[in-house]
Amino acid sequence: MLRHMSETPERIAARDADGTPTHRGWNPLAARRRWIEPFVLAMLARGDSYGYAILGRLEEMRVNNGPLDVGLVYRTLRDLERDGLVSSSWAEDLAGAGRLCYDLTVSGDRALDDCAFVMRERALVFGVLQSDYLDAIAGWVHAGGAGE
């Protein structure tokens, strides 16, 4: 079961000897679909267990500019399962048809926890950027908007 953030001690993302974050979401050379992994992990933690349920929730959240590719969600689930963050099993729905049900593993719970810490770090960086931007705009307005 996913731990509540308040139950986890404050920390920052793990870093290598050069200070570069080692969380899989920081890898600039990683597959382009890595951005969706934390969303999928979070959907599984909240109880969504089928690919289409996850897809529907992601579309409700408007995480993409336009409709999401269903293949993106299933490729991500397959990759997460390969990496031991998700497990799958067949379940029968009410009509008797089998559907693949996904569950977060203990490793997946830890990975989601790591994602939350990485996002907290990124939020701090974006907060500084926003503050600098607002200071720049205030200076521009104060100078009469000349922009010179």
Side-chain angles (χ1 to χ4, degrees), residues 15-30:
R15 297 176 186 277
D16 65 16
D18 296 326
T20 303
T22 57
H23 178 270
R24 60 193 278 143
W26 285 96
N27 184 355
L29 301 177

Side-chain angles (χ1 to χ4, degrees), residues 34-88:
R34 280 272 165 91
W35 67 269
I36 200 171
E37 288 182 355
F39 290 98
V40 171
L41 292 172
M43 298 301 101
L44 291 170
R46 68 184 288 266
D48 294 323
S49 60
Y50 301 103
Y52 277 100
I54 292 168
L55 178 69
R57 177 70 176 131
L58 293 171
E59 287 183 343
E60 285 174 16
M61 294 171 59
R62 298 178 187 250
V63 298
N64 200 27
N65 294 333
L68 275 171
D69 174 20
V70 67
L72 172 66
V73 172
Y74 281 102
R75 284 188 302 275
T76 300
L77 285 164
R78 186 184 61 231
D79 290 349
L80 291 170
E81 185 170 22
R82 180 199 63 220
D83 294 343
L85 305 179
V86 167
S87 64
S88 66

Side-chain angles (χ1 to χ4, degrees), residues 73-147:
V73 172
Y74 281 102
R75 284 188 302 275
T76 300
L77 285 164
R78 186 184 61 231
D79 290 349
L80 291 170
E81 185 170 22
R82 180 199 63 220
D83 294 343
L85 305 179
V86 167
S87 64
S88 66
S89 60
W90 286 99
E92 288 188 22
D93 65 14
L94 296 176
R99 293 197 302 179
L100 200 53
C101 176
Y102 295 91
D103 292 301
L104 199 60
T105 64
V106 171
S107 294
D109 178 42
R110 288 188 195 120
L112 180 56
D113 215 19
D114 285 345
C115 290
F117 286 107
V118 169
M119 292 302 116
R120 187 175 299 145
E121 284 186 341
R122 288 182 178 174
L124 291 172
V125 170
F126 283 118
V128 170
L129 174 63
Q130 181 181 18
S131 177
D132 288 350
Y133 167 74
L134 293 173
D135 288 347
I137 293 299
W140 182 73
V141 169
H142 182 68

